[in-house]
């Protein structure tokens, strides 16, 4: 099997490094792509479940733009809906009608939603959710959980990071995933101080196995929040519309007060949303939060079409199925080669790890070997399935994975 | 005064640690201790304690108190020690008055040579050999400075608390010099050399790369992306580590 090289990617990166801090910053930084020489840095085009890099190499994509791609790249239906709106107006002096239609669609689709607010990025909405919780309760403290990611605003980062101060984190309290007792203890000891708890519906940290909620965990947290007047915020930026149309909390059978959506909401068009219950609406109305592009109508049209299309093609069920097939196939293959592959998290966003080497070095090598043969795998982050991934993609991926296992033995 | 305390710890535990390699690698320095057997205890009130032992043309540097040193030097504060390192103060000898000649002559020459190898900016065109030694020393200083910074700097302590327990290997390719760090419950300890089964590895392509990287002259993300610095394993350990490494230059 041919292995890829990335001459043009690397040349372009060198140029980029001269005019862009870090060359490629943030979550696309090549730093966690290990070995870095096995990965492309720049994309040229994409279609369906695949993308082509600037060197012309073709990949079956298991990162899906780190989540936004859910119905296939360049999905004609979504692009047509967006284009139709763009021709009328995108960024105007007032909102377009589509905004109301989209809000209605969110309210109709997401179980707890009585209203929907729109912005651009996930962090716009996780930050807004804190403001709403504080406005609603008149309290300051927010509990977030270790290893949870909510974006890059100062409150979301540890104060030892560059550019962040201890003051930025003054009212942020760190809890622990699946540790109900600690949450309860803190809230009871700080009665009337905690405005909200923000958490992902299940734990999907990087560099570690993903963890589902323990039995009864969410029900207990929900009850605690109700009793103590604490706003329960679910960050579904990653999980939204991949686990359940009605909200990924529904998949785990509990009801938060607020849910933040982003990635899968518009198949790559820039939009995010916070939805909430009636009880939260007054606070959401009182908080001032906006942005230059938050009313742009093209992504709203794309989101409306995406949510409808997700339901029409049974995307959630499909991603569960293909993710499970991929997982079972990889586990089986690994076994044939004498390795133990562990799959954790949800099948639509699986995290894989070869457990034989706890340092991850073997797993990194395998991910690199597969990537340079055409199956784009990362070793530090959960992967993403899309409704565009086909059985043929999975079959081809497993062939590549088999070669990957052979390569790491050499 | 955590700044002075950290600096004193770095001076005694990290800068002086290089005396071992200086004596091993630099003939001129080695000649200065030929036939001499001298041990020196450094005592800093409310601060670090370390000892040096010159014997059989080798040098050993250790933390804590040594048994029956030939010379005992006392400092009234971490600041006092740091001033001595800057050539602005003298120690208070408590023991070994007959050896003061060594301290004033040979030992001064040895520490001057150490400083020479640690300050490449003073040279116009450093030789390959010079860069090799400078890199080795820089790596040692960085590694042995980390525990001191973590002990007394609030942000560094937080960064260290985020590093999962395990071992981190840092080395300059092809395979030398190397140091490794052991992280346990948010505390870091440093050793020279290599360890079996590290949890994370950071390899620097060559001396020049290591130099730039360790002296904060290159951006870590960039260096990694272009392959100058190669990382493997539980590299999330390195994310927090690099935040602490960034602070080393504030103290040396
Ligand atoms: C769970 C979660 N929350 C929030 C965010 C932040 O979203 P954004 O990068 O769009 O601000 C992300 C991004 O990856 C995420 O995964």
């Amino acid at each position: 099997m041919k292995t890829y090289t990335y001459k043009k990617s690397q040349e372009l990166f060198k140029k980029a490094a001269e005019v862009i801090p870090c060359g490629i910053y943030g979550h696309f930084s090549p730093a966690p792509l290990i070995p870095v020489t096995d990965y492309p840095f720049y994309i040229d085009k994409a279609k369906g479940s695949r993308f082509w890099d600037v060197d012309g190499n073709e990949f079956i994509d298991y990162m899906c733009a780190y989540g936004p791609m859910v119905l296939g790249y360049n999905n004609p239906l979504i692009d047509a809906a967006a284009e139709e709106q763009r021709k009328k107006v995108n960024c105007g002096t007032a909102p377009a009608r589509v905004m109301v239609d989209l809000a209605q669609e969110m309210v109709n689709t997401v179980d707890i939603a009585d209203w929907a607010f729109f912005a651009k990025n996930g962090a716009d909405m996780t930050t807004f959710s804190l403001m709403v919780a504080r406005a609603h309760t008149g309290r300051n403290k927010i509990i977030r959980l270790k290893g949870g990611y909510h974006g890059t605003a100062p409150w979301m980062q540890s104060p030892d990071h560059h550019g962040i101060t201890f003051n930025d984190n003054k009212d942020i309290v760190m809890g622990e995933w699946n540790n109900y007792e600690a949450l309860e203890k803190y809230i009871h000891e700080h009665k009337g101080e905690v405005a909200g708890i923000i958490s992902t519906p299940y734990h999907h940290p990087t560099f570690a196995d993903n963890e589902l909620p323990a039995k009864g965990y969410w029900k207990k947290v929900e009850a605690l929040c109700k009793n103590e007047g604490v706003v329960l915020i679910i960050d579904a930026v990653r999980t939204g519309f991949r686990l359940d149309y009605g909200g990924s909390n529904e998949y785990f059978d509990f009801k938060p007060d607020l849910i933040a959506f982003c990635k899968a909401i518009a198949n790559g068009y820039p939009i995010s949303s916070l939805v909430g219950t009636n009880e939260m609406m007054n606070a959401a109305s009182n908080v001032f939060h906006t942005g230059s592009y938050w009313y742009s109508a093209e992504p709203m049209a794309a989101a409306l079409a995406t949510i409808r299309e997700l339901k029409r093609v049974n995307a959630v069920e499909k991603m569960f199925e293909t993710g499970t097939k991929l997982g079972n196939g990889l586990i089986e293959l690994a076994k044939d080669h004498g390795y133990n592959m562990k799959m954790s998290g949800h099948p639509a966003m699986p995290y894989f790890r070869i457990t034989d080497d706890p340092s991850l070095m073997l797993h990194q090598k395998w991910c690199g070997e597969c990537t340079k043969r055409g199956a784009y795998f990362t070793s530090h982050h959960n992967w993403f399935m899309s409704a565009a991934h086909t059985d043929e993609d999975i079959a081809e991926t497993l062939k590549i994975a088999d070669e990957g296992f052979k390569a790491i033995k050499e | 005064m955590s700044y002075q305390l950290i600096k004193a710890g770095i001076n005694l535990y990290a800068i002086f640690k290089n005396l071992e390699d200086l004596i091993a690698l630099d003939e001129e320095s080695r000649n200065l201790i030929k036939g001499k057997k001298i041990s020196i205890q450094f005592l800093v009130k409310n601060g670090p304690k370390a000892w040096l032992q010159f014997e059989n043309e080798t040098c050993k540097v250790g933390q804590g108190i040594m048994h029956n040193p030939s010379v005992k030097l006392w400092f009234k504060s971490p600041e006092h020690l740091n001033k001595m390192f800057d050539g602005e103060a003298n120690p208070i000898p408590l023991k070994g008055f007959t050896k003061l000649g060594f301290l004033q002559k040979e030992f001064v020459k040895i520490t001057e040579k150490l400083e020479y190898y640690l300050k490449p900016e003073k040279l116009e065109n450093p030789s390959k050999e010079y860069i090799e030694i400078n890199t080795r020393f820089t790596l040692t200083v960085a590694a042995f400075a980390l525990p001191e910074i973590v002990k007394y700097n609030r942000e560094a302590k937080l960064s260290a608390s985020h590093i999962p327990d395990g071992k981190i290997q840092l080395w300059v390719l092809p395979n030398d010099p190397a140091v490794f760090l052991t992280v346990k419950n948010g505390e870091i300890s440093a050793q020279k050399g290599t360890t079996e089964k590290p949890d994370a590895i950071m390899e620097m392509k060559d001396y020049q790369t290591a130099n730039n990287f360790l002296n904060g002259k290159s951006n870590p993300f960039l260096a990694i992306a272009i392959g100058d610095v190669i990382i493997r394993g539980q590299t999330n350990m390195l994310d927090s580590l690099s935040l602490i490494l960034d602070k080393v230059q504030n103290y040396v």
Side-chain angles (χ1 to χ4, degrees):
Chain A
M1 200 176 266
K2 185 180 148 239
T3 55
Y4 297 164
T5 53
Y6 306 107
K7 196 163 166 274
K8 286 185 184 156
S9 258
Q10 279 151 6
E11 278 167 11
L12 197 52
F13 183 83
K14 286 202 177 117
K15 243 191 219 170
E18 287 171 16
V19 289
I20 300 170
C22 245
I24 303 174
Y25 46 80
H27 65 305
F28 280 1
S29 159
L33 305 175
I34 298 170
V36 80
T37 44
D38 285 351
Y39 287 83
F41 293 168
Y42 288 92
I43 193 165
D44 182 43
K45 58 180 185 175
K47 179 81 198 144
S49 59
R50 297 177 184 235
F51 77 85
W52 287 260
D53 71 5
V54 289
D55 288 277
N57 303 310
E58 179 179 348
F59 300 87
I60 307 173
D61 189 0
Y62 288 96
M63 290 312 287
C64 297
Y66 281 70
M69 189 281 271
V70 66
L71 286 169
Y73 289 112
N74 291 0
N75 182 297
L77 201 119
I78 310 304
D79 289 353
E83 179 60 8
E84 198 182 319
Q85 178 61 48
R86 190 197 61 79
K87 274 193 205 142
K88 287 200 276 180
V89 66
N90 176 29
C91 213
T93 296
R97 163 184 286 275
V98 66
M99 182 175 186
V100 186
D101 297 338
L102 176 60
Q104 188 62 57
E105 186 73 23
M106 291 292 282
V107 166
N108 292 348
T109 307
V110 180
D111 280 46
I112 67 129
D114 293 315
W115 51 267
F117 185 103
F118 301 104
K120 288 289 107 180
N121 291 298
D124 300 335
M125 295 297 73
T126 49
T127 291
F128 184 49
S129 72
L130 262 60
M131 295 159 88
V132 172
R134 285 171 171 158
H136 178 73
T137 57
R139 304 172 180 174
N140 292 345
K141 289 194 193 313
I142 298 288
I143 301 179
R144 72 176 184 93
L145 307 186
K146 250 186 245 164
Y149 182 79
H150 304 295
T152 63
W155 71 263
M156 304 160 186
Q157 296 200 46
S158 182
D160 58 323
H161 288 189
H162 291 290
I164 313 294
T165 69
F166 280 92
N167 255 351
D168 291 325
N169 272 243
K170 198 163 70 67
D171 287 314
I172 303 293
V173 182
M174 300 304 293
E176 252 178 20
W177 172 251
N178 260 346
N179 189 342
Y180 171 76
E181 287 67 32
L183 264 189
E184 187 189 65
K185 184 164 182 278
Y186 186 86
I187 290 175
H188 283 167
E189 284 173 1
H190 297 80
K191 267 198 188 297
E193 292 179 40
V194 179
I197 299 174
I198 182 165
S199 168
T200 54
Y202 77 89
H203 197 46
H204 43 64
T206 47
F207 291 101
D209 295 342
N210 289 189
E211 290 175 55
L212 298 182
K215 198 161 177 274
Y217 171 75
W218 275 124
K219 277 284 180 225
K220 282 191 281 185
V221 175
E222 186 187 339
L224 176 69
C225 287
K226 284 261 161 358
N227 291 336
E228 299 294 333
V230 173
V231 176
L232 181 54
I233 306 161
I234 284 304
D235 176 348
V237 165
R238 216 180 289 179
T239 52
F241 296 120
R242 275 199 158 83
L243 271 57
D244 196 303
Y245 308 103
S248 25
N249 53 290
E250 298 299 325
Y251 184 83
F252 298 112
D253 192 26
F254 71 101
K255 306 270 184 212
D257 302 294
L258 299 168
I259 309 175
F261 287 92
C262 182
K263 297 183 183 286
I265 197 173
N267 204 42
Y269 287 83
I271 185 165
S272 58
S273 178
L274 186 77
V275 306
T277 60
N278 265 328
E279 217 193 332
M280 299 292 128
M281 196 158 180
N282 198 30
S285 312
N286 287 337
V287 172
F288 184 71
H289 199 36
T290 187
S292 295
Y293 299 103
W294 289 14
Y295 281 94
S296 63
E298 183 199 41
M300 291 179 181
L304 185 59
T306 299
I307 296 167
R308 288 178 178 163
E309 184 66 359
L310 284 168
K311 291 188 267 192
R312 194 187 68 81
V313 301
N314 297 321
V316 164
E317 294 78 0
K318 221 171 150 184
M319 287 186 273
F320 187 97
E321 221 173 90
T322 40
T324 305
K325 270 185 203 155
L326 175 70
N328 290 343
L330 291 178
I331 290 167
E332 190 93 345
L333 263 181
K335 209 161 151 198
D336 293 346
H337 286 277
Y339 297 113
N340 182 48
M341 176 71 80
K342 184 172 177 186
M343 177 185 185
S344 59
H346 183 279
M349 304 181 6
Y351 178 80
F352 290 102
R353 182 171 68 89
I354 299 175
T355 62
D356 304 80
D357 172 13
S359 80
L360 286 183
M361 290 180 208
L362 187 69
H363 184 59
Q364 285 161 346
K365 205 163 170 221
W366 176 76
C367 287
E369 292 292 344
C370 293
T371 298
K372 66 180 184 198
R373 288 171 172 81
Y376 192 96
F377 292 167
T378 60
S379 57
H380 67 297
H381 197 287
N382 69 270
W383 302 354
F384 293 91
M385 302 303 299
S386 82
H389 284 85
T390 61
D391 284 350
E392 292 73 49
D393 286 335
I394 303 295
E396 193 179 332
T397 302
L398 293 177
K399 266 195 211 138
I400 293 171
D402 191 34
E403 294 288 319
F405 282 118
K406 283 183 202 152
I408 60 172
K409 264 193 235 159
E410 277 159 17
Chain B
M1 285 310 280
S2 65
Y3 178 83
Q4 293 292 344
L5 195 55
I6 292 171
K7 199 169 163 67
I10 291 174
N11 276 331
L12 279 192
Y13 300 152
I15 303 281
F16 264 0
K17 190 71 187 165
N18 287 314
L19 289 172
E20 295 178 350
D21 287 331
L22 179 75
I23 298 299
L25 299 170
D26 182 71
E27 198 179 347
E28 196 187 333
S29 301
R30 198 161 51 244
N31 283 337
L32 288 166
I33 60 156
K34 212 171 216 159
K36 296 206 162 60
K37 185 181 169 193
I38 293 182
S39 51
I40 312 169
Q41 174 76 56
F42 291 78
L43 297 164
V44 181
K45 191 182 171 196
N46 298 323
K49 292 163 183 52
W51 51 263
L52 314 178
Q53 190 171 33
F54 297 102
E55 194 176 355
N56 300 329
E57 289 174 50
T58 65
C59 173
K60 252 199 193 154
V61 182
Q63 302 191 8
I65 305 277
M66 94 176 296
H67 178 66
N68 201 18
S70 27
V71 180
K72 257 192 205 175
L73 300 177
W74 190 77
F75 300 84
K76 61 180 197 269
S77 65
E79 199 172 356
H80 181 194
L81 176 92
N82 297 334
K83 277 199 171 145
M84 182 201 74
F85 270 79
D86 292 338
E88 293 166 9
N90 289 312
I92 301 164
L94 297 184
K95 181 187 172 190
F97 294 91
T98 56
K99 312 276 184 191
L100 290 184
F102 173 78
L103 286 180
Q104 283 158 357
K105 278 197 300 230
E106 287 91 343
F107 189 63
V108 167
K109 280 198 183 138
I110 291 170
T111 54
E112 277 170 2
K113 201 67 190 274
L114 178 62
E115 189 178 338
Y116 161 80
Y117 280 119
L118 282 167
K119 299 244 159 89
E121 59 278 7
K122 289 194 175 157
L123 295 186
E124 284 249 323
N125 252 329
S127 66
K128 195 171 152 277
E129 290 71 28
Y130 177 91
I131 291 173
E132 274 188 38
I133 294 182
N134 170 256
T135 307
R136 181 180 296 274
F137 286 9
T138 308
L139 188 63
T140 299
V141 169
F144 285 80
L146 293 171
E148 302 314 301
I149 299 174
V150 167
K151 262 185 250 168
Y152 305 112
N153 177 284
R154 187 180 174 200
E155 288 151 35
K157 198 187 280 271
L158 185 63
S159 299
S161 77
H162 295 154
I163 307 179
D165 287 356
K167 292 202 164 115
I168 302 173
Q169 180 76 62
L170 308 180
W171 68 42
V172 182
L173 293 178
N175 49 24
D176 200 40
V179 293
F180 67 94
L181 305 163
T182 307
V183 184
K184 192 143 203 275
N185 298 326
E187 282 178 20
I188 298 181
S189 57
Q191 272 167 276
K192 290 193 284 187
T194 57
T195 177
E196 256 182 58
K197 292 205 173 184
D199 299 282
I201 298 177
M202 183 187 275
E203 294 168 340
M204 288 154 264
K205 197 179 68 181
D206 50 34
Y207 287 115
Q208 198 56 57
T209 303
N211 239 288
N212 291 343
F213 188 75
L214 294 167
N215 288 313
K217 285 186 206 142
S218 61
N219 174 286
F221 288 102
L222 212 58
I224 289 164
I226 58 178
D228 278 355
V229 173
I230 300 151
I231 58 172
R232 270 180 293 148
Q234 292 276 357
T235 56
N236 49 327
M237 296 176 90
L238 304 175
D239 292 343
S240 291
L241 183 74
S242 77
L243 291 169
I244 312 171
L245 270 174
D246 287 344
K247 296 192 191 304
V248 173
Q249 289 144 75
N250 300 343
Y251 300 98
V252 296

